[in-house]
Amino acid sequence: MRGQEVVLAVSLHRLDSIRIAVPDAESQRRLYTAAGFSTDATGSRFGGSHGGHQVVLDEGEFRRLLNVDLLANDASDISVIASRLTGLGVASTIRDGRLVATDPATRVEFSVHVADAPVVSRAEVMPHNGPGHNERVNRRASGVIPRARAPRRLGHIVIGSPDIDGTVRFLVEGLGFKVSDRFPGIIAFLRCSTDHHNVAVVNSEVPQLQHYSWECDDVDHVGHNGTALISAGVAKPGWGFGRHYVGSNFFWYLLEPSGSFIEFYSDMDIITDDIEWETRGRTPVGPEHIGNSWGPSMPLEFIVPPDLEQLKAGWARIG
């Protein structure tokens, strides 16, 4: 633990799914189709190759993150989380073993239920050549052959909050997330699994789904998928290609028709030992690390969404 950060024993183990509303659901479906997502018979649930259907799509007046579903280890964890939320003054309900509570700042509903995470098979490791180690000899790299395909799973989401400290308190002290890295007043990276972050909270004038991110096998998988969406005309170049300092992952962000960013990433930091991470793995970070270690500079649209006025008007109508 560093500074004033509160780290609690976490009972969560997976970001399972999200429900989003967008003004043009059909354009969103075309994007998911181009990305290789599978869907169900209703055409409203979508997912990658290894995580199941992890996005539920609704049509709404303006883009909005409606629900985040999390998995816990044991039924006793549900009552513990409910007690924590009561201590924060946040109401929750438990129906059929599922806890439901709403973050007051973002008005996003979070639900928690007990279930095992799907078993994820190991990705095929492509041989690479480098100084002093030639693993691929007398054959071309497989990565040069276009192979756009579905990403593996939903890895993390970034939520814009007008009360970043309040939302972080709800997630950490209430639900049981852990803090991996934090820039006070700007962004906090939180985990409920061994991934460096599953939910990040960023300062925002209005609540929003700033971006959501899908894990890929490797850097070529990231590149092929981003190229496929741009070539199909279903997404616009956003930010990347590059590598983050916080989380260490390769990234490429595309701007969706809805106004949110979709990210493809690979090689995320994995945290299996809290003490090891805090004492040896977690290097100091400063303002120069908020963006990326290398790659293009962060575009203004990543900080100030192009549809900000629509978002403000939408929230004003809700009241």
Side-chain angles (χ1 to χ4, degrees):
M1 185 171 65
R2 298 186 178 188
Q4 300 300 311
E5 293 170 357
V6 178
V7 179
L8 302 176
V10 70
S11 58
L12 307 174
H13 66 85
R14 172 178 158 96
L15 167 64
D16 197 45
S17 65
I18 59 175
R19 179 183 288 271
I20 63 174
V22 299
D24 184 354
E26 188 53 41
S27 291
Q28 199 73 11
R29 290 189 184 95
R30 287 196 293 270
L31 180 142
Y32 292 153
T33 298
F37 286 109
S38 63
T39 188
D40 65 356
T42 69
S44 62
R45 301 177 64 88
F46 301 86
S49 60
H50 288 73
H53 294 142
Q54 292 187 274
V55 174
V56 182
L57 180 63
D58 289 350
E59 191 151 335
E61 190 175 353
F62 63 102
R63 69 178 175 94
R64 184 179 173 189
L65 176 62
L66 301 173
N67 173 269
V68 177
D69 193 45
L70 308 167
L71 300 187
N73 292 316
D74 189 84
S76 63
D77 295 328
I78 301 297
S79 58
V80 170
I81 293 171
S83 177
R84 289 174 177 170
L85 291 170
T86 298
L88 293 177
V90 177
S92 64
T93 59
I94 299 177
R95 299 189 299 269
D96 299 325
R98 183 184 297 266
L99 177 141
V100 179
T102 299
D103 170 38
T106 62
R107 289 189 255 185
V108 174
E109 178 187 85
F110 286 79
S111 54
V112 184
H113 66 284
V114 176
D116 294 329
V119 176
V120 178
S121 62
R122 181 173 179 173
E124 181 182 356
V125 178
M126 298 295 108
H128 289 83
N129 292 335
H133 64 94
N134 295 321
E135 301 172 6
R136 190 191 72 255
V137 179
N138 301 323
R139 55 194 176 108
R140 209 182 303 276
S142 60
V144 304
I145 302 171
R147 289 186 61 209
R149 61 196 187 280
R152 295 179 71 87
R153 64 179 175 98
L154 178 66
H156 60 273
I157 61 176
V158 177
I159 303 173
S161 174
D163 178 11
I164 184 172
D165 291 336
T167 298
V168 170
R169 186 164 52 250
F170 170 84
L171 293 171
V172 174
E173 298 182 34
L175 297 184
F177 278 77
K178 295 182 180 181
V179 178
S180 297
D181 281 299
R182 190 172 189 175
F183 298 91
I186 301 175
I187 190 170
F189 297 88
L190 314 177
R191 68 186 187 275
C192 64
S193 72
T194 57
D195 289 353
H196 176 273
H197 56 283
N198 304 103
V199 174
V201 184
V202 65
N203 187 43
S204 176
E205 189 173 350
V206 292
Q208 61 163 316
L209 175 60
Q210 198 276 339
H211 76 261
Y212 59 129
S213 304
W214 296 83
E215 183 185 47
C216 295
D217 292 340
D218 54 24
V219 67
D220 288 310
H221 194 183
V222 171
H224 286 315
N225 284 10
T227 300
L229 294 192
I230 294 172
S231 298
V234 296
K236 297 178 181 179
W239 180 27
F241 189 79
R243 186 160 195 157
H244 285 306
Y245 185 92
V246 177
S248 300
N249 52 292
F250 295 107
F251 68 85
W252 195 356
Y253 297 89
L254 293 305
L255 182 62
E256 295 185 341
S258 71
S260 294
F261 286 90
I262 185 170
E263 177 193 13
F264 297 119
Y265 77 91
S266 66
D267 195 20
M268 173 75 71
D269 287 339
I270 297 297
I271 303 170
T272 61
D273 187 315
D274 297 337
I275 295 176
E276 182 75 4
W277 172 252
E278 292 297 331
T279 57
R280 296 180 59 186
R282 184 179 176 187
T283 55
V285 295
E288 70 275 16
H289 301 128
I290 291 178
N292 50 322
S293 177
W294 56 259
S297 298
M298 183 187 299
L300 178 62
E301 291 80 7
F302 206 76
I303 304 170
V304 181
D307 61 344
L308 178 59
E309 294 306 314
Q310 292 95 314
L311 292 176
K312 290 165 66 174
W315 283 110
R317 285 190 292 270
I318 291 177

